[in-house]
Amino acid sequence: LDHIYDQLSKNSANIELVRNYSDIERIHKNNKIAVLLSIEGGEAIKENTAFLRMFYHLGIRSMTLTWNQRNSIGSGVHEGSRGGLSKFGKTVVQEMNRLGMLVDVSHLNYEGFWDVIEYSKKPIIASHSNAKSLCDTPRNLDDKQIKAMAEKDGVICCTFVPDFLVKNTQANLSHVIDHISYMKNLVGINHIGLGSDFDGTDKMPEGLEDVGKYQSLITTLHARGYKDGQIEKIMGGNILRLLKNVII
């Protein structure tokens, strides 16, 4: 947080921190980069919602409840079926709703996911997860989970991590679009985003090695029959709608 605030200060002509949705609109209008801060791993708040509130005051607007292991909120996917959210974890979800923080279920185990569906009164996000039907890994979401996300007006953001795209072959850009298309056919275009995870893996799919390749993704979506309006939703429109409903 100290580092990002230092960068915000040094680059104030180009970037600005987001604290609510109106900030996003204003920053975009001024042709700057809007920075939205997130925490991956709820262990950052220990066992105290006071820390959650302090992170909120420091600008955090989204939090992944767990990483792969268990913390005081619940269990990550590497823990398997070790129960869902703790009593404290359910309180955390409710407090995040009250504050206006986005609840992120990527990395959360199966039971914890369904607890979030039950206890969150606001739409939620899976910031970097794919379709389990296409690549069977605990980090991906099955059809029932994807449908539940859509019913809650949430967004599933397709990740580029090769291990979550395809098994036993070199991942490429087309595999990302396969996951996008699968979820579109399952729940419609309004619940899909991008969650590259460029800083979370050592390897990337062929054709999506870095941010500069995003135009190739757009071009390939066009080639696969996607219309401009659909692509705008995938490239960020759906996430903007989600943020408008949550960080008010």
Side-chain angles (χ1 to χ4, degrees):
L1 281 168
D2 177 68
H3 176 72
I4 191 63
Y5 271 102
D6 180 56
Q7 293 300 309
L8 285 164
S9 176
K10 290 177 179 177
N11 298 280
S12 59
N14 298 307
I15 62 176
E16 197 170 335
L17 183 66
V18 167
R19 291 184 178 273
N20 52 55
Y21 189 79
S22 63
D23 286 342
I24 297 175
E25 295 178 322
R26 175 180 52 77
I27 294 166
H28 280 187
K29 186 176 180 180
N30 291 331
N31 200 31
K32 293 184 180 182
I33 297 169
V35 178
L36 189 143
L37 298 181
S38 176
I39 289 175
E40 183 177 63
E43 52 269 22
I45 68 169
K46 305 296 183 181
E47 298 180 18
N48 192 337
T49 54
F51 290 130
L52 178 70
R53 289 186 287 275
M54 289 310 300
F55 278 125
Y56 176 83
H57 293 311
L58 288 169
I60 300 294
R61 290 299 179 267
S62 176
M63 185 171 75
T64 311
L65 298 181
T66 68
W67 195 57
N68 290 328
Q69 284 72 44
R70 184 166 181 82
N71 60 28
S72 59
I73 294 172
S75 290
V77 294
H78 284 184
E79 298 292 333
S81 298
R82 286 194 57 190
L85 298 183
S86 65
K87 183 177 180 181
F88 173 69
K90 295 169 184 175
T91 299
V92 167
V93 169
Q94 293 167 340
E95 185 67 353
M96 290 176 72
N97 283 175
R98 186 188 72 80
L99 290 168
M101 294 178 69
L102 190 56
V103 178
D104 187 349
V105 295
S106 284
H107 285 282
L108 191 61
N109 77 340
Y110 194 73
E111 293 85 355
F113 172 92
W114 290 110
D115 280 340
V116 172
I117 292 295
E118 178 181 355
Y119 284 92
S120 179
K121 305 304 181 186
K122 298 283 186 71
I124 61 177
I125 193 169
S127 64
H128 51 306
S129 297
N130 289 334
K132 194 170 186 177
S133 291
L134 297 187
C135 185
D136 190 358
T137 168
R139 276 283 287 105
N140 287 341
L141 304 178
D142 65 23
D143 289 2
K144 186 178 178 182
Q145 290 174 298
I146 293 169
K147 289 178 181 178
M149 291 282 296
E151 289 171 2
K152 214 166 186 66
D153 199 28
V155 177
I156 307 106
C157 299
C158 289
T159 179
F160 304 167
V161 177
D163 287 344
F164 306 152
L165 287 170
V166 64
K167 297 293 186 182
N168 304 318
T169 190
Q170 171 64 49
N172 58 49
L173 184 156
S174 290
H175 292 120
V176 174
I177 298 178
D178 288 344
H179 282 268
I180 291 171
S181 296
Y182 182 88
M183 289 193 278
K184 178 181 75 71
N185 292 335
L186 190 65
V187 297
I189 199 70
N190 293 327
H191 307 287
I192 305 164
L194 298 177
S196 61
D197 209 16
F198 279 123
D199 66 342
T201 180
D202 294 328
K203 297 180 180 180
M204 298 306 296
E206 290 181 352
L208 279 174
E209 291 84 2
D210 55 60
V211 166
K213 300 296 178 66
Y214 266 106
Q215 186 57 52
S216 297
L217 179 62
I218 294 170
T219 300
T220 308
L221 283 166
H222 273 301
R224 294 272 287 261
Y226 285 80
K227 306 301 182 184
D228 287 345
Q230 294 176 313
I231 294 172
E232 288 174 5
K233 289 182 177 183
I234 293 168
M235 298 302 295
N238 288 332
I239 293 176
L240 287 174
R241 184 197 73 244
L242 178 65
L243 292 172
K244 189 173 185 179
N245 289 334
V246 175
I247 68 168
I248 304 172

